[in-house]
Amino acid sequence: MDISLTTENKVPGEAPSVTLTIRLIMQGKDVGSIIGKKGDTIKRFREESGARINISDGSSPERIVTITGSTENILKAFNMIGKKFEEDMKAAHVNSSVPVPPVTLRLIVPASQCGSLIGKGGSKIKEIREVTGASIQVAGDMLPNSTERAVTVSGTPDAISQCVYHICCVMLESPPKGATIPYKPRPASGTSTSGPVVFAGGQVNLTKLHQLALQQTPYITPGTTLPAALATQFGVQTASQPGNPSSQTTHELTIPNELIGCIIGKGGCKINEIRQLSGATIKIAGMQEGSTDRQVTITGTPESISTAQFFINTRLREEVSGMGGLVL
């Protein structure tokens, strides 16, 4: 989120007008929704909100949506985008007994400002949640090749707009420190979605969910479950009885010793985060003498197992990439 102060046409004694620039990460289908046929929807959003709304080119599975304007303009734009997504989800669930999930948007915020957004002991982010009724989460890791983090906001369109307002207030009070390297999504061209990850000294055997990670699958927010069919599609073997998809089952992964640290994280922070996001129980076996691998046992519903595997494989892909390995 970039915030600049514009003092042009300033009247003496008045505060300078504030121009806000907020960037979001969106998937292609969501971008298509806000563009509309022949660009009619985004044109209406621009005219009615007064905000400038620009979208990055379509060479990447992820697109960057940039919204610029006054605080009022920004909030109007967010409310309109949120209501459009809410309409889309209601239409998709019209004949379904599954509850309509909340609207979820991913903001991009400089990592140097995230501490102020979280607050001492998480006090600020807790306050924003309580005041707005929206769910807000700050990613622990920076987005690839940048000094920015994703901030995920979920709730009703009105709650999201109020949440964004409070985020903007925090950002104004605590400007970014140092230079910010902006996040740029990886182009789709040249990205393969098959085969294992190869790194110096060995080979990692990953499940088919690794392909899902490479395809930049949308962020999964806490409480969201993947369809039971996804577990079958990606080869999760279950012991569930027909008609009882919530039965508990167990799935095992083998992770090389060299990579287990990226799954566990400092003080167990990463594995705990994956447990929380997926709802699965994850146990990592101790090191065995003479073995180069560690056994990871995931227990839960097919949906929670699939979600846990997705996050584990995403962590592996990021770690291998950082080691200078090759994704084949």
Side-chain angles (χ1 to χ4, degrees):
M1 182 185 301
D2 300 318
I3 298 175
S4 57
L5 296 177
T6 303
T7 57
E8 294 180 4
N9 303 320
K10 178 180 178 296
V11 177
E14 289 187 358
S17 61
V18 180
T19 298
L20 301 162
T21 297
I22 300 180
R23 293 160 59 236
L24 303 102
I25 305 172
M26 284 191 190
Q27 300 297 313
K29 65 179 181 62
D30 292 330
V31 170
S33 175
I34 65 171
I35 291 176
K37 291 183 179 179
K38 297 181 180 180
D40 290 344
T41 303
I42 196 168
K43 181 181 179 182
R44 177 169 61 86
F45 285 2
R46 287 166 175 157
E47 291 174 349
E48 294 183 14
S49 70
R52 295 194 299 275
I53 307 174
N54 296 317
I55 300 171
S56 62
D57 65 50
S59 62
S60 170
E62 287 184 332
R63 309 277 288 277
I64 302 298
V65 178
T66 304
I67 305 175
T68 304
S70 67
T71 305
E72 183 181 1
N73 298 149
I74 294 287
L75 298 183
K76 283 182 180 179
F78 265 91
N79 196 262
M80 295 176 77
I81 290 172
K83 286 181 177 178
K84 182 65 174 71
F85 288 165
E86 187 178 57
E87 290 173 5
D88 292 344
M89 287 189 290
K90 285 182 178 178
H93 287 74
V94 68
N95 295 319
S96 173
S97 59
V98 179
V100 178
V103 175
T104 299
L105 297 176
R106 294 178 69 196
L107 282 63
I108 303 174
V109 175
S112 61
Q113 292 177 293
C114 288
S116 300
L117 183 57
I118 295 170
K120 187 176 182 180
S123 59
K124 191 62 183 180
I125 200 168
K126 181 181 178 182
E127 176 189 329
I128 295 174
R129 288 177 183 138
E130 292 175 349
V131 170
T132 66
S135 169
I136 173 173
Q137 291 193 331
V138 179
D141 293 332
M142 286 185 277
L143 291 161
N145 303 314
S146 78
T147 58
E148 298 183 304
R149 294 188 190 182
V151 175
T152 304
V153 180
S154 301
T156 65
D158 288 339
I160 287 176
S161 296
Q162 287 301 310
C163 187
V164 170
Y165 170 76
H166 284 276
I167 292 173
C168 289
C169 290
V170 173
M171 299 300 102
L172 282 168
E173 292 170 359
S174 306
K177 299 172 184 175
T180 297
I181 302 173
Y183 169 63
K184 296 181 181 179
R186 178 192 296 181
S189 58
T191 302
S192 171
T193 59
S194 62
V197 175
V198 177
F199 64 101
Q203 177 172 312
V204 185
N205 294 314
L206 303 180
T207 67
K208 292 181 181 179
L209 270 176
H210 176 253
Q211 299 174 16
L212 186 64
L214 289 177
Q215 292 176 28
Q216 304 288 335
T217 297
Y219 181 84
I220 303 171
T221 57
T224 301
T225 56
L226 299 178
L230 188 61
T232 303
Q233 178 183 353
F234 288 99
V236 177
Q237 301 299 317
T238 75
S240 304
Q241 297 298 320
N244 186 18
S246 62
S247 297
Q248 297 283 303
T249 186
T250 296
H251 188 75
E252 293 186 343
L253 299 174
T254 301
I255 308 292
N257 289 331
E258 296 95 326
L259 296 181
I260 201 68
C262 77
I263 303 299
I264 298 173
K266 187 176 181 179
C269 63
K270 294 302 176 186
I271 194 68
N272 287 335
E273 181 180 44
I274 294 173
R275 287 173 179 139
Q276 182 180 4
L277 290 171
S278 67
T281 300
I282 307 172
K283 295 182 179 180
I284 300 176
M287 291 185 63
Q288 299 294 322
E289 186 175 351
S291 175
T292 59
D293 299 319
R294 299 277 287 276
Q295 199 75 16
V296 177
T297 303
I298 309 172
T299 303
T301 64
E303 291 87 352
S304 64
I305 289 175
S306 295
T307 306
Q309 284 186 285
F310 166 74
F311 283 112
I312 288 172
N313 287 317
T314 299
R315 290 293 303 160
L316 289 171
R317 176 174 60 83
E318 291 172 350
E319 180 71 9
V320 171
S321 177
M323 292 166 60
L326 302 175
V327 179
L328 303 179

